[in-house]
Amino acid sequence: MPVTSRPTPDPVAERREVTCPLRDGTRLRTLLLLPHGAGPWPSLLTRHPYDVTREEDDGHLDVRRLVAAGYLVALQDVRGRFGSEGVFEPCAQEEADGADAVAWLAGRPECDGTVGMWGASYASDTQFAALLGGAPALRALAPAMTPALSALDGFRFRGGVPELGSTLAWTHYAIAPDAIARAASARERETERRRWEATERAITTGEAYGAGALHAGRDAEGSVRWGLDRLREPLDSPRHREGKIVDRIDAVDVPVLLTGGWFDVFLGPTLELYRRLRRRAEDTGGPAPRLVVGPWTHDDLSGRAAGLDFGPGASADAADLTGLHLRWFDAVLRGRALDPAPVRVFLMGAGRWVETDGFPPRDARTLDLYLHAGGALAPEPAGSGSLRFVSDPATPVPTCGGAVLLFAPFGAGPADQTAVEARPDVVSWRTEPLEKDLTVMGAVHAVVHLSTTGTDADVVVRLCDEHPDGTSRVVADGVRRGSARSVDPVTGRGERGPLEPGRVYEITVDLWSTAHAFPPGHRIRVDIAPSSSPRWDVGVNAFAPDGEFAQPVVAEHTVLLGPGHPSRLVLDVVTSPA
């Protein structure tokens, strides 16, 4: 007799679409997903501008599992987006609105007064903003791929260089369509639609991100104009602090679980936020942060990127990211036991997860690899020398993989750099084939001694894994603008100033961090280039004060090498991770 399988019961007992009133009377669309049984329940809230109905089937956490575990789940469109009223003012609106939303949810009869929040990208910003706005019912934050720490470290800028490509991608593709649909009149909608089409053409042709594009004054749609205006602001502008916690880390007094991706555009701020929260916990005895980082891009947690499959355990589903979050929420909101390991990272190159006491692990040591005149990369400096290359803003080096959030065909991940490395404006160094494993687990930066014939210079550095077959896959990368060499890349404090032609400057480039095992037979490779477009604004090799623009010029850059000018790569390495 055939066995008839019973359908799996829906863990959502009731789905309600309600409105959350804010202090000024604006109403936000909110979906409430109620568990079976008698409440009240602790609640989990996410808030973002991307249509929260998508969270029901396509979020980075499985919301039905959250409901099945006995949580009241609330999904909310932020002000001025999709089903919510009002005008969308990115970042600036979220402190007051977030605090109001948490208070409203905590006060509902279905909620027991306890609220946790989760969400990626903008939905991570809204978590910290709610806390900063004053939300005593908010007891736990689970931000993923978060730019919440600073607008200057991968969000709007990196190393003093505008993140032009990701700003275009976000404002044009993620924000503009709904903003245009909400326009007050058919005439305004048509005008904005035509501007959207003009931006699309400019992206397709490259006009939108060529040298000088940031100052070209194109008539783009409103959201793109907003984004470009922010990129024109000085690095120390108060606008870059709106909704960010860079100066208010002491306000984060609740447990935090951070999720990141090795090829996420916000990897740097995610890890820097972890480090700052960890230091604060050690100093004050407050809650220590927890961290999980996978081989993921900003919007792809499949464990496959740029043609590389990291293995069967690499995806968020295989790693059971939802289960990890549930155990953590159960611990901090319900008093159950915590998972023993505070940090879980995927070790690329070895294809496995590693649990550690912190990141970088406490037993990590620093390894310096020096750039030699003959193209070698070695643990000791060699004789003095130099390498020259020409930076022509009219023909920038194309972006190829890395920790990016861009439009097609510029995908994220460990892309092969072979074609890029063949360009005459890209210079490279590499070790001999490794005789044994070398595991990098922690911070990566480069110290470049540079002179130029111009008055400014951008220095792009990539760490690559060169395979025995010649494939060279990017592992980590970074950029620094010479005129911003004295500016703190996280806070924006410090003075910009021109370079003196012919003078040698020591420029430090932060490649953020990685966890990567270089196997025997592979080489560690370092590339230096003057640009990476469309990812970063193309430098013009000429200094201009804030608010001004200099015409592009061709310049010759020289990397100085040897004991007097020890240009080098600096890695955190471990002997044998567990």
Side-chain angles (χ1 to χ4, degrees), residues 519-574:
H522 288 224
R523 300 174 188 255
I524 300 170
R525 184 175 183 126
V526 173
D527 299 336
I528 295 181
S531 50
S532 178
S533 180
R535 181 178 188 180
W536 291 309
D537 173 49
V538 177
V540 297
N541 299 319
F543 175 75
D546 290 331
E548 298 181 21
F549 174 67
Q551 290 298 319
V553 297
V554 176
E556 183 179 74
H557 300 336
T558 302
V559 179
L560 284 299
L561 311 165
H565 298 290
S567 295
R568 63 199 182 274
L569 177 72
V570 184
L571 307 169
D572 281 344
V573 299
V574 296

Side-chain angles (χ1 to χ4, degrees), residues 298-317:
H298 187 72
D299 52 9
D300 186 346
L301 279 62
S302 68
R304 297 181 297 275
L308 187 65
D309 189 331
F310 287 97
S315 71
D317 288 342

Side-chain angles (χ1 to χ4, degrees), residues 21 35 54 93 102 160 163 241 271 280 289 298 327 331 367 374 392 398 412-413 458 471 509 543 562:
R54 299 178 183 178
Q93 68 186 32
V102 169
E163 286 274 0
R241 287 181 162 75
L271 294 178
R280 180 177 180 274
H298 187 72
R327 292 190 298 275
L367 173 65
D392 184 352
D458 288 354
T471 302
V509 182
F543 175 75

Side-chain angles (χ1 to χ4, degrees), residues 145 259-263 292-297 314 344-346 348 353:
M145 284 69 176
T259 300
W262 293 128
F263 296 101
V292 57
V293 187
W296 305 322
T297 71
R344 193 165 186 252
V345 299
F346 190 88
M348 299 181 294
W353 290 91

